[in-house]
Amino acid sequence: METVGESSAGAASTSASVSCIHTRAVVQQCTSARLQTNYDQVGAGPEDAEFVDISRGMVVFVCFLKGADEAVAQRLASTVLKARLCVCEENGKKVSVLDRHGDVMIVPQATLGGSLKGKQFQYHKNTNPEQGAVLFRKFVDCVMEGGGFSSPGGDGAPVLAVGTYGNRQILSMATMGPSTHIIEL
């Protein structure tokens, strides 16, 4: 697993830690993924379940930490879309999800901001839930604008599927090799 961060000069760099992190994302390559977006609201039976699906592409788990702002959400969207994380079948080289024309699923994941203290995880570094929701929406909007995606069931363009901020969800995915990356900005 590789951590991608940003140096003080703003250029992308690989490092073990970044001094002031405002967002953390985990990117997992997949051949398919399915997310139940209304798990907390489901009534009596499975017929009430709502799902979003993607084909080959990536699942992005995202968490915003204290100090994050809309500029951080924009930078994260640009980084996720432009990072060369997808393997091109024709030549084996890594390309961006944009170059690959891959689908993207974005899942809000507040637990990425947790720190283990004793036997418990604490989430004191996370932004407050209201600000987190605003930043998550900004991130999704920036990915949509920057990627030319369609909604699930759309026009044949790569799909952008989005989880629901603030509730529990169920995710199933088929992954592509050991290809998980952490992005911290």
Side-chain angles (χ1 to χ4, degrees):
M1 199 168 337
E2 185 176 353
T3 301
V4 178
E6 210 171 82
S7 70
S8 59
S13 65
T14 302
S15 64
S17 66
V18 177
S19 60
C20 191
I21 299 169
H22 297 294
T23 186
R24 183 172 291 136
V26 173
V27 179
Q28 173 66 56
Q29 302 302 301
C30 70
T31 56
S32 65
R34 181 169 224 213
L35 182 68
Q36 182 180 347
T37 59
N38 67 336
Y39 177 77
D40 287 346
Q41 291 90 30
V42 171
E47 66 277 357
D48 298 321
E50 295 175 7
F51 295 92
V52 292
D53 299 276
I54 64 168
S55 296
R56 192 175 182 117
M58 63 173 55
V59 176
V60 181
F61 302 93
V62 62
C63 175
F64 291 97
L65 307 174
K66 288 180 181 172
D69 57 19
E70 290 191 2
V72 169
Q74 290 171 327
R75 276 198 339 262
L76 179 60
S78 178
T79 300
V80 165
L81 291 173
K82 294 177 182 175
R84 294 180 182 161
L85 302 175
C86 303
V87 176
C88 178
E89 290 81 19
E90 293 83 33
N91 58 22
K93 292 185 179 181
K94 291 193 176 186
V95 297
S96 73
V97 71
L98 294 177
D99 293 335
R100 171 131 193 4
H101 304 288
D103 295 344
V104 174
M105 178 179 284
I106 302 173
V107 182
Q109 189 72 28
T111 59
L112 290 177
S115 298
L116 187 62
K117 183 172 182 179
K119 296 180 183 178
Q120 296 277 27
F121 273 92
Q122 296 182 349
Y123 302 96
H124 302 301
K125 295 177 185 175
N126 287 11
T127 190
N128 68 60
E130 295 79 20
Q131 179 70 1
V134 168
L135 295 172
F136 180 75
R137 187 76 249 157
K138 180 66 174 180
F139 173 68
V140 169
D141 290 347
C142 290
V143 170
M144 179 64 93
E145 291 168 13
F149 293 100
S150 69
S151 298
D155 60 7
V159 171
L160 176 63
V162 180
T164 307
Y165 190 88
N167 72 308
R168 201 178 323 197
Q169 300 164 87
I170 298 175
L171 173 68
S172 300
M173 72 175 144
T175 63
M176 300 236 346
S179 187
T180 304
H181 302 277
I182 298 172
I183 299 171
E184 296 177 328
L185 302 176

